[in-house]
Amino acid sequence: MSTKNKILDSAESLFADKGFNGTSLREITSQAEVNLAAVNYHFGSKKELIKAVMSRYMNELSPRLETALTQVCNTESPSLIDVFSAFIEPLLSLNDFKTKGTSNFLQLLGRGYTDSQGFLRWFLTTQYPGVIDNFVLAVQKAYPELNAEEMFWRLHFTMGTVVFTMSSSDALIDIAKSDFDRNLQISDVIRNVIPYVAAGVGAPMPSSATA
Amino acid sequence: MSTKNKILDSAESLFADKGFNGTSLREITSQAEVNLAAVNYHFGSKKELIKAVMSRYMNELSPRLETALTQVCNTESPSLIDVFSAFIEPLLSLNDFKTKGTSNFLQLLGRGYTDSQGFLRWFLTTQYPGVIDNFVLAVQKAYPELNAEEMFWRLHFTMGTVVFTMSSSDALIDIAKSDFDRNLQISDVIRNVIPYVAAGVGAPMPSSATA
DNA sequence: AAGCAGTTTAAACAAGCGTTTTAAATAACG
DNA sequence: CGTTATTTAAAACGCTTGTTTAAACTGCTT
């Protein structure tokens, strides 16, 4: 295993656990068993390391996601459940790509949104615009009555639900075990959240006739 | 204005903007125009200052919230919209209590959940258990078919939606202005999110007969 | 007026941070 | 084999953090 990959792996798990700001380069290089200066040598700076960690996942995920969302758009009359379910297989495929891949990535997503404000929005919209565009198209096809403004709000609410849930998924899984004696995994959390966000996005328009 | 209150006010707005970890005591005391050591003199530590900022709001909010939720429980057959709408008046009343009170508090809530993991959960469950208990009771009355496990998940999803939305409400309001030419306030965001979370919590049970 | 508790002040502390610098070890190649 | 380029290593840099210290100042009571 190369020094570069050892750093990426350690950074990924530590970032997911403790956030970007909450993780020091010394923690990362210590866990990776490499020298402290190796981070700046290989990546230039901490910020570039963060981007490298995120890109490794997004490059794996975004083509699968775009394909799945395009397929939904090409079906006859997709439901919102169909749209959100399109995320399942691409997200779970990250577990083949890397151990704990799915949960690590989803937690990183949450960290990127809350740690340094605006970073994730910039990262996704500038680096991977195709994913968002396809997603909006799929939602429009599933719920054409939703106007642009309502769509804007509800997609942000959904982003919040997913990002927040995933950034605290470890705690939620622990509570589910102690309170309900259920041994759940990240895939169960994903399957649980889909009916919720689908119902939220699919809520009737506030001041219009029923769809 | 006392030194103590100057610190509380500056800490509140800076914490809401940049998070607890992202705000230094020197920023706070500089904006408050008091000496650096005043924080440790009056509050003991930064952690105690955070608690003091949160308590100032919760002591104002929790009795109003408990009253409103109890009233909902005492109505004949409340809807989930009724339950969540019970939050509106108590939350907006924080604007009478303090300038920008509502949005500051809701952003602080989000920071407390994401900044240092588990702090807010501990704070709310140990310091203000009555609010959560009344909330759960109200949801149970509005949607009795929801079993404990589903309730657990959906309330956490809702927490995520609200907390995340509010912690980025400033950005959302800005986007709404530039994209749709709408001048919105925090109260509009609250009213927008209610149908979403009500529909999410009210989603049909996954593997049971329709309610 | 003297004394005293309550506050405020400026300065310093120890620790941690990201980054840079130096030199030594390793690998690649003509 | 010898030279060059790459990679590692340890130490130090400059800076910021939360916290503490000790002295000065405040306003009140005796």
Side-chain angles (χ1 to χ4, degrees):
Chain A
M1 171 103 69
S2 70
T3 296
K4 207 166 174 174
N5 278 326
K6 283 198 280 188
I7 293 175
L8 279 174
D9 287 349
S10 293
E12 172 188 317
S13 67
L14 286 170
F15 283 155
D17 268 4
K18 319 171 54 170
F20 299 127
N21 299 332
T23 303
S24 71
L25 295 185
R26 284 167 178 81
E27 288 179 275
I28 295 171
T29 54
S30 169
Q31 183 182 99
E33 294 178 318
V34 302
N35 190 266
L36 168 61
V39 170
N40 291 76
Y41 175 79
H42 284 287
F43 298 95
S45 68
K46 185 179 180 180
K47 193 159 202 166
E48 289 299 319
L49 171 61
I50 295 175
K51 286 191 206 171
V53 169
M54 295 300 291
S55 294
R56 193 163 61 147
Y57 274 112
M58 282 304 293
N59 292 337
E60 179 77 15
L61 181 70
S62 69
R64 296 173 187 267
L65 216 47
E66 294 190 32
T67 303
L69 287 170
T70 305
Q71 280 182 359
V72 170
C73 279
N74 290 340
T75 61
E76 188 60 37
S77 53
S79 70
L80 285 170
I81 294 280
D82 295 332
V83 175
F84 289 107
S85 296
F87 283 77
I88 295 180
E89 187 270 318
L91 281 176
L92 293 183
S93 78
L94 297 178
N95 275 334
D96 306 332
F97 168 59
K98 203 176 165 311
T99 309
K100 283 199 63 180
T102 306
S103 74
N104 274 355
F105 170 73
L106 287 170
Q107 290 189 50
L108 288 172
L109 214 62
R111 298 298 184 179
Y113 226 101
T114 53
D115 264 28
S116 54
Q117 66 264 40
F119 164 73
L120 188 67
R121 194 187 307 259
W122 166 88
F123 183 78
L124 291 180
T125 53
T126 64
Q127 309 292 310
Y128 304 92
V131 174
I132 297 176
D133 294 342
N134 278 341
F135 179 45
V136 170
L137 282 177
V139 173
Q140 272 174 343
K141 177 142 191 188
Y143 192 177
E145 298 86 357
L146 206 62
N147 65 40
E149 195 171 344
E150 279 293 334
M151 167 92 83
F152 158 78
W153 284 107
R154 295 185 184 187
L155 291 194
H156 273 287
F157 297 155
T158 300
M159 193 69 163
T161 310
V162 173
V163 156
F164 181 89
T165 298
M166 296 313 170
S167 70
S168 57
S169 61
D170 283 352
L172 292 179
I173 289 174
D174 284 349
I175 298 175
K177 177 158 190 173
S178 69
D179 283 13
F180 308 109
D181 200 34
R182 302 267 306 221
N183 281 317
L184 300 182
Q185 296 181 328
I186 191 75
S187 55
D188 300 305
V189 181
I190 295 176
R191 281 184 244 275
N192 254 308
V193 80
I194 285 178
Y196 182 94
V197 293
V201 173
M205 290 281 286
S207 56
S208 87
T210 57
Chain B
M1 171 102 68
S2 70
T3 297
K4 207 166 175 176
N5 278 326
K6 284 198 280 189
I7 293 176
L8 279 174
D9 286 349
S10 294
E12 172 188 318
S13 67
L14 286 170
F15 283 156
D17 268 3
K18 320 171 56 169
F20 300 126
N21 300 332
T23 304
S24 71
L25 296 185
R26 282 168 179 80
E27 289 179 273
I28 295 170
T29 54
S30 169
Q31 183 183 102
E33 295 178 315
V34 302
N35 188 265
L36 167 63
V39 170
N40 291 75
Y41 176 77
H42 284 285
F43 298 93
S45 69
K46 184 179 180 180
K47 193 157 202 168
E48 289 299 319
L49 170 63
I50 296 175
K51 287 192 205 170
V53 169
M54 296 299 293
S55 294
R56 194 164 60 148
Y57 274 112
M58 283 303 294
N59 291 336
E60 180 76 15
L61 181 69
S62 68
R64 295 171 187 267
L65 216 47
E66 293 189 33
T67 302
L69 287 170
T70 304
Q71 279 180 359
V72 170
C73 277
N74 289 340
T75 62
E76 187 60 37
S77 53
S79 71
L80 285 169
I81 295 279
D82 296 332
V83 174
F84 289 108
S85 296
F87 283 78
I88 295 180
E89 188 270 318
L91 281 175
L92 292 182
S93 77
L94 297 178
N95 275 335
D96 306 331
F97 168 58
K98 206 178 163 309
T99 309
K100 285 199 64 182
T102 305
S103 74
N104 273 356
F105 170 73
L106 287 169
Q107 290 189 47
L108 289 171
L109 214 61
R111 299 299 186 178
Y113 226 101
T114 53
D115 264 28
S116 55
Q117 65 264 41
F119 165 71
L120 187 67
R121 192 187 309 259
W122 166 87
F123 183 78
L124 290 181
T125 53
T126 63
Q127 309 292 311
Y128 303 92
V131 174
I132 297 175
D133 292 343
N134 277 342
F135 180 45
V136 170
L137 282 178
V139 173
Q140 271 174 344
K141 177 143 190 187
Y143 192 176
E145 299 85 356
L146 206 62
N147 64 41
E149 195 171 345
E150 278 293 334
M151 166 93 82
F152 159 78
W153 284 107
R154 295 184 184 187
L155 291 194
H156 273 286
F157 297 155
T158 299
M159 193 70 163
T161 311
V162 173
V163 156
F164 180 90
T165 297
M166 296 313 169
S167 70
S168 57
S169 62
D170 284 351
L172 292 178
I173 289 174
D174 285 349
I175 298 174
K177 176 159 192 173
S178 70
D179 284 13
F180 308 109
D181 199 35
R182 301 271 305 230
N183 280 318
L184 300 181
Q185 296 180 328
I186 191 75
S187 55
D188 300 305
V189 181
I190 295 176
R191 281 184 244 275
N192 253 307
V193 80
I194 285 178
Y196 183 94
V197 293
V201 173
M205 290 282 286
S207 56
S208 83
T210 57

